[in-house]
Amino acid sequence: MATPIDVVIMAAGKGTRMKSKLPKVLHRLGGRALLAHVTDCVARLSAHQAVVITGHGAIEVEAACDRMTGAAADLSLKFARQEPQLGTGHAVQQALPLLADEGVTLVLSGDVPLTQAATLKALLEQCDGQRLALLTLSMADPTGYGRIVRAGPEASAQVRAIVEHKDASEAQRAIQEIYSGIMAVPTRLLRGWLSRLDNRNAQNEYYLTDIVKFAVEDGVAVVAHQILDAAQVAGVNSPVQLAELERVYQLRRATDLMEQGVRLADPARFDVRGLLSCGQDVEIDVNCIFEGQVSLGDGVRIGANCVIANASIAAGAVIHPFTHIDGEKLGVSVGEGALIGPFARLRPGAQLGAEVHIGNFVEVKNSTLAKGAKANHLAYLGDATVGERVNYGAGSITANYDGANKHRTVIEADVHIGSNCVLVAPVTIGAGGTVGGGSTITKDTPPGALNVARGKQISLPNWSRPQKKKA
Ligand code: UD1
Ligand code: CA
């Protein structure tokens, strides 16, 4: 039986340098809260529970965790308040009543979003239920970080302590190996060491990092697990750092997709803020944004500057440039071989069958279009059921809202709706019928009929236009 793992996620700090009202760990990276990235990673560790230390913005942070979706939804999340914030050691002290003595505690920070589960697993292996394992990194410019002080100059020399930058001597400041902020420690030992902390240091804080010297005093082995990938332990303290990590994150997502065969015109101009799954031979042009859950079938092509959220696009469909699709909660589905855009807008509940064409400046909301239906220019379809092969003319709209309630428009198969028609719902246009351009249809129409509802055209012959009066 492996040692049970309790995770402590520190998230009580103020994040002053974000200069924001939003608690730092709720700022978004790849469309999700920083803290959600951490809990998603923890969910891959088969941890027994995770305790989030909250302080600044505690109510908001705790509420956001309760709403959390994704991998972390199944994780047992608990909270411990830290008020006031007296340092990282003091933060972990707040979690102690919730931690199981026989286990290992993994300490993470809520503002370090890109750590990989494999890295934490390797650290937990180094800890092995009995050692103090520190995740470390060598940095060209280690300013500001805690330095790993070893017994001698060799890279393998015994770790003796972590010295915070502000407390370090000139010689110690020259050390390039830094503590990442992540450690794994046997919980029983942690409990004892935390009770020995004091705040006699440059910042008058209770430093978690001081437990290293207690481990050394007690003869407990301290291991430094050094990694090379700095992004995995990079924290977010400012909008600049947030934007830097966003690009790292996006480049990683882009690389993963390209490795699966997706062809991106430019991985630097590509953003996924959620989950994007792609079939074979998918091509995505520049400046596209994918949000929520999006799936693209085999051979789908996405033109430049599209924003696509919560939608499923079937094989062979082409989304032309500048199309905006947002399924929100209802979703949007686009059928096989459909052609959408340029400049199309698909809203929640748009369900488009195979080979449907939606052209420029056409808006579709909560409507079903059967195979081969077309609305190519400047039109609105809201709360409509549209049959196969219907042709819906330029400038036509469904008047679906009477000011109080929404009503449905049914357009049966093979109907031809001319240009500039208003279909006042509830109304049904019978199969195979035609609606003459400019008609305002308020009553159901029979199948096969030509329906015209507009002022009759009159012509006055030889009519002379009024003349301008002479002054
Ligand atoms: C800490 C480490 C330092 C390490 C660095 C890596 C200590 C004393 N120092 O320094 O060795 O190199 O991280 O980034 O641990 N927090 C609380 N409550 C507090 C204080 C902090 O929850 O009272 C949280 C913060 O919100 C943050 C995390 O702990 O998520 C780290 O705190 P921070 O102040 O950034 O630590 P550093 O001084 O950077
Ligand atoms: Ca920090």
Side-chain angles (χ1 to χ4, degrees):
M1 199 39 217
T3 330
I5 302 156
D6 282 333
V7 181
V8 173
I9 303 173
M10 295 187 288
K14 188 159 185 201
T16 313
R17 283 196 280 151
M18 289 304 290
K19 298 186 178 161
S20 167
K21 288 198 179 109
L22 189 69
K24 178 163 76 173
V25 293
L26 299 187
H27 280 269
R28 279 180 298 277
L29 179 127
R32 308 196 66 205
L34 293 172
L35 184 56
H37 288 270
V38 179
T39 54
D40 267 3
C41 175
V42 169
R44 289 186 203 106
L45 297 176
S46 55
H48 157 249
Q49 62 175 355
V51 181
V52 182
I53 310 295
T54 58
H56 278 282
I59 292 170
E60 263 179 280
V61 173
E62 289 166 17
C65 287
D66 289 337
R67 288 192 303 271
M68 215 109 89
T69 55
D74 296 330
L75 187 70
S76 165
L77 269 189
K78 295 193 177 126
F79 302 99
R81 292 271 178 100
Q82 185 201 16
E83 274 154 355
Q85 290 84 39
L86 303 178
T88 51
H90 179 251
V92 178
Q93 276 170 354
Q94 311 313 305
L96 282 178
L98 296 168
L99 305 181
D101 254 346
E102 68 279 11
V104 161
T105 297
L106 175 66
V107 178
L108 304 175
S109 289
D111 60 356
V112 178
L114 299 185
T115 319
Q116 280 160 19
T119 302
L120 298 180
K121 282 180 188 162
L123 184 73
L124 287 162
E125 266 171 42
Q126 295 281 323
C127 167
D128 196 25
Q130 49 193 326
R131 292 187 282 268
L132 170 56
L134 308 170
L135 190 66
T136 73
L137 186 82
S138 184
M139 281 190 149
D141 177 11
T143 310
Y145 290 94
R147 306 298 206 283
I148 303 294
V149 177
R150 291 178 182 266
E154 326 74 66
S156 61
Q158 259 276 296
V159 175
R160 307 293 303 179
I162 298 173
V163 177
E164 292 304 306
H165 181 90
K166 286 183 179 147
D167 300 288
S169 64
E170 277 313 304
Q172 287 167 333
R173 285 186 183 181
I175 298 172
Q176 291 185 316
E177 189 183 7
I178 62 104
Y179 168 55
S180 66
I182 296 175
M183 65 168 69
V185 43
T187 305
R188 194 188 307 277
L189 298 175
L190 175 68
R191 210 180 282 284
W193 293 334
L194 287 178
S195 70
R196 288 155 68 180
L197 290 181
D198 63 57
N199 64 352
R200 291 192 298 271
N201 52 53
Q203 304 183 76
N204 296 117
E205 285 182 8
Y206 295 89
Y207 290 163
L208 176 61
T209 43
D210 279 350
I211 71 169
V212 175
K213 62 180 190 226
F214 300 143
V216 172
E217 281 169 23
D218 292 357
V220 174
V222 180
V223 283
H225 178 64
Q226 194 168 342
I227 60 167
L228 298 172
D229 179 8
Q232 282 202 48
V233 296
V236 172
N237 295 301
S238 66
V240 170
Q241 288 173 345
L242 180 60
E244 280 168 6
L245 282 198
E246 178 76 28
R247 288 337 302 165
V248 172
Y249 172 81
Q250 293 299 347
L251 197 56
R252 288 181 182 187
R253 301 293 301 267
T255 306
D256 287 347
L257 286 164
M258 290 187 293
E259 277 166 2
Q260 288 164 38
V262 176
R263 294 191 286 277
L264 298 178
D266 182 358
R269 285 179 289 171
F270 168 77
D271 290 86
V272 181
R273 301 172 189 159
L275 294 173
L276 173 64
S277 68
C278 294
Q280 202 171 27
D281 287 313
V282 166
E283 288 182 27
I284 302 173
D285 209 333
V286 298
N287 289 336
C288 291
I289 300 175
F290 298 88
E291 295 179 342
Q293 293 237 16
V294 176
S295 72
L296 307 178
D298 290 350
V300 164
R301 284 189 289 139
I302 310 288
N305 302 297
C306 290
V307 177
I308 302 181
N310 302 303
S312 122
I313 317 281
V318 178
I319 313 295
H320 289 294
F322 297 98
T323 291
H324 184 225
I325 299 178
D326 190 354
E328 293 176 29
K329 290 200 173 73
L330 289 175
V332 162
S333 62
V334 173
E336 282 190 20
L339 304 179
I340 312 297
F343 298 100
R345 179 169 185 215
L346 304 183
R347 292 174 52 205
Q351 292 183 289
L352 313 184
E355 289 152 48
V356 161
H357 293 186
I358 298 294
N360 44 251
F361 308 107
V362 175
E363 173 183 350
V364 183
K365 185 217 78 169
N366 194 30
S367 292
T368 305
L369 278 72
K371 184 175 179 188
K374 295 185 172 72
N376 273 324
H377 333 263
L378 303 159
Y380 176 57
L381 280 161
D383 304 302
T385 304
V386 179
E388 294 190 358
R389 297 170 300 278
V390 163
N391 195 311
Y392 192 78
S396 290
I397 66 152
T398 54
N400 56 323
Y401 185 51
D402 60 14
N405 296 302
K406 304 269 170 69
H407 302 282
R408 269 201 105 69
T409 301
V410 178
I411 305 173
E412 293 178 349
D414 299 300
V415 161
H416 181 97
I417 307 282
S419 296
N420 251 22
C421 295
V422 181
L423 308 179
V424 182
V427 71
T428 296
I429 311 299
T434 297
V435 174
S439 293
T440 295
I441 301 292
T442 54
K443 294 196 290 269
D444 292 356
T445 69
L450 167 65
N451 310 280
V452 183
R454 62 180 185 231
K456 225 183 181 125
Q457 180 169 328
I458 57 165
S459 301
L460 303 180
N462 304 320
W463 185 64
S464 47
R465 240 176 270 150
Q467 302 289 310
K468 240 189 182 145
K469 280 194 191 123
K470 294 221 167 71

